[in-house]
């Protein structure tokens, strides 16, 4: 009987080791194969030329420092670029900068950005889904009270009184409904191969920022929480400019 118990213990230990090492190894192999196929597929496709990246790069930080100081710049810098991009026909102006906290001493410039954002229907702003453990905090949002203002989506299983912790942009920007989450979705090896379509909380859906833009532009979205990122080309193949170049070009008009 003792030998039987010893054998069972040995077998269970072996299964545990197999799960720890072999399945992890297979997971790693699967990721590497997926990455290889994705790179090959990406190189066969051309990035959409209508998607333009405007980068706050080192050159922009250096060039704009004499007038606007060290980054973060006054919010008027972002408001001015938003106005100019809209005036020149941009279909969507998508900020990956979270305008959440007031800039003490420069509230007038915050207000300028807020006014521009409210009056520019093609401008979109990010928010963050915070740690779920903070959902019970007093500062968390009651979803049924704020969902309509924020453009969140109620499903048939939505729980009344559910709360969620979100880092929102300025209230008046958030209440445009042109906001979406920018949370990073990582695989078990820490690499992001997928992206949220929406984050669900108790039957309420919080769209990601790309999904929010896609909905506004009339693109079809899958009814699933996340999708595999379908890259086009290499990173340097995308049309991109330094922030300072675009900003100064508009100033010279």
């Amino acid at each position: 009987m003792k030998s039987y118990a010893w054998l069972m213990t040995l077998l269970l230990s072996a299964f545990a080791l197999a799960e720890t090492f072999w399945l992890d190894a297979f997971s790693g192999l699967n990721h590497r194969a997926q990455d290889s196929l994705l790179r090959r597929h990406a190189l066969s496709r051309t990035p959409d030329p209508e998607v333009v990246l405007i980068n706050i790069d080192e050159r922009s930080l250096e060039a704009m420092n004499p007038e606007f100081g060290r980054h973060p710049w006054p919010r008027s810098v972002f408001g001015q670029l938003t106005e100019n991009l809209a005036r020149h026909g941009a279909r969507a102006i998508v900020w990956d900068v979270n305008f959440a906290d007031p800039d003490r001493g420069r509230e007038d410039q915050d207000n300028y950005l807020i006014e521009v954002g409210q009056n520019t229907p093609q401008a979109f702003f990010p928010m963050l889904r915070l740690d779920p453990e903070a959902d019970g905090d007093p500062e968390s949002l009651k979803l049924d009270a704020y969902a309509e203002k924020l453009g969140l989506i109620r499903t048939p299983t939505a729980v009344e009184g559910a709360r969620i912790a979100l880092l929102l942009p300025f209230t008046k920007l958030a209440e445009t409904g042109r906001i979406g989450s920018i949370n990073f979705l990582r695989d078990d090896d820490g690499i992001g191969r997928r992206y949220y379509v929406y984050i669900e909380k108790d039957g309420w859906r919080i769209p990601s920022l790309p999904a929010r833009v896609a909905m506004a532009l009339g693109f079809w979205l899958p009814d699933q929480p996340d999708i595999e990122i379908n890259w086009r080309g290499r990173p340097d193949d995308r049309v991109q400019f330094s922030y300072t170049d675009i900003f100064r070009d508009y100033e010279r008009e």
Side-chain angles (χ1 to χ4, degrees):
M1 191 71 179
K2 288 184 179 179
S3 61
Y4 176 77
W6 178 85
L7 179 60
M8 288 299 296
T9 301
L10 183 62
L11 287 173
L12 289 172
S13 299
F15 285 133
L17 286 171
E19 183 175 5
T20 301
F21 294 106
W22 294 349
L23 294 185
D24 282 351
F26 287 137
S27 176
L29 286 172
N30 181 59
H31 286 327
R32 286 194 290 273
Q34 180 184 3
D35 293 345
S36 177
L37 289 171
L38 188 59
R39 280 193 294 269
R40 186 182 307 172
H41 183 63
L43 290 175
S44 69
R45 308 185 72 190
T46 303
D48 189 334
E50 293 188 1
V51 178
V52 177
L53 304 181
I54 301 177
N55 300 320
I56 302 176
D57 53 13
E58 289 297 326
R59 193 162 72 82
S60 297
L61 296 175
E62 182 178 352
M64 299 184 71
N65 183 65
E67 183 176 355
F68 299 110
R70 297 178 61 184
H71 195 270
W73 301 318
R75 267 53 181 275
S76 59
V77 174
F78 304 102
Q80 187 174 337
L81 185 61
T82 300
E83 280 190 309
N84 284 324
L85 290 170
R87 184 163 52 86
H88 283 79
R91 293 179 65 198
I93 303 158
V94 187
W95 287 104
D96 194 18
V97 178
N98 203 326
F99 305 110
D101 298 316
D103 192 356
R104 300 300 181 189
R106 298 191 292 203
E107 289 84 357
D108 58 328
Q109 304 201 44
D110 286 352
N111 291 333
Y112 171 53
L113 171 63
I114 292 169
E115 183 179 356
V116 170
Q118 287 180 299
N119 294 308
T120 306
Q122 59 268 61
F124 299 83
F125 301 93
M127 64 177 171
L128 278 171
R129 166 56 162 128
L130 300 178
D131 189 334
E133 291 187 2
D135 288 347
D137 293 350
E139 297 81 10
S140 62
L141 296 178
K142 192 175 179 182
L143 280 164
D144 49 0
Y146 289 93
E148 184 175 354
K149 289 182 179 179
L150 303 180
L152 309 185
I153 300 168
R154 177 198 293 262
T155 74
T157 61
V159 176
E160 300 301 322
R163 304 184 73 95
I164 190 169
L166 298 172
L167 179 62
L168 297 170
F170 292 125
T171 301
K172 290 181 179 179
L173 290 180
E175 290 181 350
T176 65
R178 288 182 266 108
I179 59 173
S181 70
I182 53 171
N183 291 75
F184 179 62
L185 179 58
R186 68 180 72 238
D187 282 333
D188 52 14
D189 59 356
I191 295 175
R193 299 177 178 85
R194 306 184 67 79
Y195 203 87
Y196 286 111
V197 176
Y198 59 83
I199 297 171
E200 186 156 338
K201 164 66 175 175
D202 292 333
W204 300 86
R205 292 182 179 180
I206 298 92
S208 69
L209 187 58
R212 176 69 70 195
V213 176
M215 287 188 289
L217 296 180
F219 290 104
W220 173 84
L221 284 176
D223 187 22
Q224 60 192 58
D226 57 77
I227 56 173
E228 185 175 12
I229 301 173
N230 191 11
W231 296 108
R232 291 172 173 262
R234 296 166 297 189
D236 291 343
D237 291 342
R238 290 164 180 77
V239 180
Q240 50 192 303
F241 299 95
S242 291
Y243 195 106
T244 185
D245 292 339
I246 302 298
F247 189 83
R248 299 303 184 193
D249 280 350
Y250 285 140
E251 280 192 329
R252 288 190 285 268
E253 289 184 343

